[in-house]
Amino acid sequence: MSPYTEREMMSIAAGRLVKNGQVLFAGTGLSMLAAAVAKRVNAPDSLVFFETGGIDPSLDELPLAVGDPRVMAGTSLNAGLVDAFAFLANPRLETIAFLGAAQVDRYGNLNTTLLGDFQHPKVRFAGSGGACDAASLAFGFIAFMQHEKRRFVEKLDYLTSPGWLTGGDSRRLAGHARGGPLAVVTNLAVLKFDAAEKFMYLDEYYPGVSPRQVAENTGFPLDISRARQAEPPSERELTILRREVDPERLILG
Amino acid sequence: MPAALLRQDPDQNTLPPFLVDAVVPVPFGAHPTACNYFYDYDPEHLHRYREEAEDEARFAAYLREWVYGLPDEAAYREKVGANQLQLIRANSQVGYAVGLDRR
């Protein structure tokens, strides 16, 4: 087994969550790598599209932003923003969105808006972008997070994008016909959500990480009773990621 | 371009007339960002922009150098340099500059 980096493990762990045939709504960065790896390993019939409207680009070169011309190259269709979100909401498709956030809570709700008090924030971030729409409309979403106590919080400073809201069937009762967070992929672990009560639990911790270490870096009580160790990246996964997906290490670093 | 030409194949249009005041051709007008099928983004310039935008004083200096300090677009293009613009020219098949060093 060759050594691998945190970013490689995260991309591969997220890619493994994709089921063949699902339609992937990717941003850039790790989500791009996860989608590209999934397509080559476990989801050959899946395709990737972007909020700027590029549907199924050839990805001969990695796009570095959703406005990158590489998002529009070799596509089946270059639609627009409004179309992209309509496709995302299409009930015939199992669309999976990849999102990142500054904070997440135990129900997978996300904050990408600010830290501190709303009127006098300590830090102001870019805001929702398309994240709230994606979290609301997609069949499901997967969040990427750095695993730190200050990011896994009891209460968000601001609710930007809805996860399972307050758990149970609160999301449905709030009017969301479908969707919700399927998993949170961090630099330590993959976390999933209880089927009935919708709270976050530790599903897989990466090799070299202990369940306790994951719990200690989480700012709310974390169920680690179902945890098992993740498979390390296989040679095949690593080779595909390094040679085909990001040979210049533009995102892998 | 005469307006009548636009009406010969309206399926190709995306903007209605009441949203357009004028059409102004500006070569490399989106630099340092990209214009699909014309030119790629300029990675070197964007890296520099990102660094200088982190600091108020350096960002003000950037704006003086690249925006307020130049009389027009032609002067801007000249400052970027013909070699650099040639480097980011798009491949007509795929729409971007193939193999452009983006690190």
Side-chain angles (χ1 to χ4, degrees):
Chain A
M1 187 68 255
S2 52
Y4 50 91
T5 68
E6 222 166 58
R7 291 175 83 81
E8 288 172 339
M9 182 73 226
M10 288 176 79
S11 314
I12 289 167
R16 288 173 182 167
L17 297 170
V18 174
K19 296 195 179 104
N20 192 23
Q22 288 180 329
V23 178
L24 310 176
F25 183 80
T28 45
L30 285 179
S31 71
M32 186 65 258
L33 297 182
V37 172
K39 202 170 153 58
R40 286 169 167 84
V41 179
N42 46 300
D45 302 321
S46 288
L47 59 83
V48 185
F49 75 112
F50 293 83
E51 70 178 39
T52 38
I55 314 286
D56 199 22
S58 63
L59 300 179
D60 292 330
E61 291 191 17
L62 265 189
L64 292 181
V66 291
D68 194 311
R70 289 156 190 79
V71 160
M72 271 81 79
T75 48
S76 59
L77 165 70
N78 286 330
L81 194 76
V82 175
D83 292 309
F85 283 103
F87 296 141
L88 189 67
N90 189 318
R92 291 180 54 185
L93 304 175
E94 282 199 13
T95 50
I96 305 293
F98 292 95
L99 304 171
Q103 288 181 327
V104 63
D105 69 13
R106 73 180 68 193
Y107 297 115
N109 302 302
L110 304 179
N111 171 18
T112 52
T113 301
L114 57 84
L115 294 181
D117 176 62
F118 181 77
Q119 296 299 338
H120 308 280
K122 275 186 288 191
V123 188
R124 185 68 168 81
F125 301 116
S128 167
C132 179
D133 311 75
S136 301
L137 302 174
F139 171 82
F141 71 85
I142 295 169
F144 282 109
M145 295 291 301
Q146 281 297 308
H147 212 131
E148 299 169 22
K149 230 172 177 149
R150 62 185 182 127
R151 294 175 180 275
F152 283 70
V153 294
E154 278 285 359
K155 189 170 170 20
L156 301 179
D157 289 7
Y158 187 91
L159 170 55
T160 312
S161 305
W164 297 114
L165 294 176
T166 55
D169 59 355
S170 59
R171 182 181 167 100
R172 188 181 57 79
L173 292 175
H176 290 286
R178 70 168 187 176
L182 304 173
V184 179
V185 176
T186 81
N187 52 315
L188 301 179
V190 175
L191 305 111
K192 291 188 177 170
F193 296 88
D194 182 78
E197 294 181 46
K198 306 298 188 193
F199 59 81
M200 195 186 293
Y201 68 86
L202 177 58
D203 183 50
E204 290 189 335
Y205 48 95
Y206 300 155
V209 176
S210 71
R212 207 173 125 193
Q213 190 185 345
V214 178
E216 279 169 359
N217 283 284
T218 303
F220 47 81
L222 184 67
D223 176 5
I224 58 171
S225 65
R226 313 173 212 188
R228 58 213 151 91
Q229 184 176 289
E231 284 292 320
S234 69
E235 288 297 339
R236 176 160 178 250
E237 287 169 324
L238 279 177
T239 303
I240 284 171
L241 183 60
R242 291 171 180 171
R243 296 221 184 124
E244 294 179 25
V245 176
D246 189 10
E248 294 172 280
R249 299 193 78 84
L250 293 168
I251 297 170
L252 287 173
Chain B
M1 179 184 293
L5 187 71
L6 290 169
R7 292 179 185 258
Q8 280 176 14
D9 194 1
D11 288 359
Q12 297 299 311
N13 297 339
T14 55
L15 289 173
F18 45 76
L19 294 182
V20 180
D21 293 320
V23 177
V24 184
V26 181
F28 293 95
H31 183 277
T33 57
C35 187
N36 204 16
Y37 283 100
F38 290 87
Y39 47 91
D40 214 326
Y41 44 83
D42 184 337
E44 202 180 308
H45 195 107
L46 286 176
H47 286 312
R48 174 187 179 154
Y49 178 90
R50 185 178 59 197
E51 279 167 25
E52 305 200 345
E54 280 175 11
D55 175 82
E56 290 293 340
R58 290 177 71 201
F59 186 56
Y62 173 90
L63 290 178
R64 272 197 307 278
E65 184 180 352
W66 289 95
V67 182
Y68 302 121
L70 296 170
D72 53 28
E73 283 284 332
Y76 178 87
R77 281 194 298 277
E78 196 172 323
K79 186 169 166 57
V80 174
N83 286 345
Q84 190 63 14
L85 294 179
Q86 190 53 39
L87 213 59
I88 62 170
R89 200 173 278 281
N91 172 303
S92 62
Q93 295 297 310
V94 295
Y96 55 87
V98 175
L100 177 67
D101 185 358
R102 296 182 288 147
R103 285 167 294 181

